[in-house]
Amino acid sequence: MSDAATLPEVEEQTDRKLRYQPPYHVVLLNDDDHSYAYVVTMLKELFGHPVERGFKLAEQVDKQGRAIVLTTTREHAELKQDQIHAYGPDPTIERCKGSMTAVIEPAE
């Protein structure tokens, strides 16, 4: 078997790996139906953020109305957005009916 027969396949795989994927932000949006503890726990479980980082992000969401919780590829950002939307209501707040909201947007 000739090495030349497999060369185009190797080059094609290399080209696919080198394609640039523009980054996207996962942005958590504020509401009044979720506690800091809920946000910190969610960020730890879904993103692996330490408690201190989670608290700072929860504070930013509360004060500024939004916080970037992750910058990644579009596909991964969409997955993380779906996980936030599926996380469920805050059990410590009776009026809370569901998960928090997140959007994805191109990173500048």
Side-chain angles (χ1 to χ4, degrees):
M1 180 155 102
S2 164
D3 286 337
T6 59
L7 187 58
E9 183 180 324
V10 171
E11 286 177 2
E12 184 179 324
Q13 288 176 357
T14 302
D15 287 345
R16 269 188 258 143
K17 289 180 185 176
L18 296 178
R19 287 191 187 141
Y20 175 72
Q21 294 185 10
Y24 282 80
H25 295 310
V26 179
V27 182
L28 188 63
L29 303 178
N30 188 38
D31 63 37
D32 292 328
D33 292 336
H34 296 88
S35 65
Y36 273 50
Y38 172 96
V39 176
V40 170
T41 301
M42 178 187 64
L43 293 175
K44 183 176 181 180
E45 289 181 10
L46 298 183
F47 296 90
H49 290 317
V51 172
E52 299 80 13
R53 174 92 174 119
F55 183 81
K56 287 180 181 179
L57 288 167
E59 199 171 41
Q60 184 179 357
V61 168
D62 186 36
K63 293 179 179 176
Q64 298 177 10
R66 56 188 276 133
I68 297 168
V69 295
L70 182 68
T71 302
T72 186
T73 63
R74 182 180 184 125
E75 183 177 331
H76 192 223
E78 289 171 346
L79 169 67
K80 290 302 184 180
Q81 178 189 35
D82 289 345
Q83 290 177 338
I84 290 170
H85 291 167
Y87 195 73
D90 185 334
T92 66
I93 298 180
E94 190 175 317
R95 71 177 178 271
C96 182
K97 301 296 183 208
S99 303
M100 292 190 74
T101 301
V103 296
I104 61 168
E105 58 191 29
E108 296 176 6

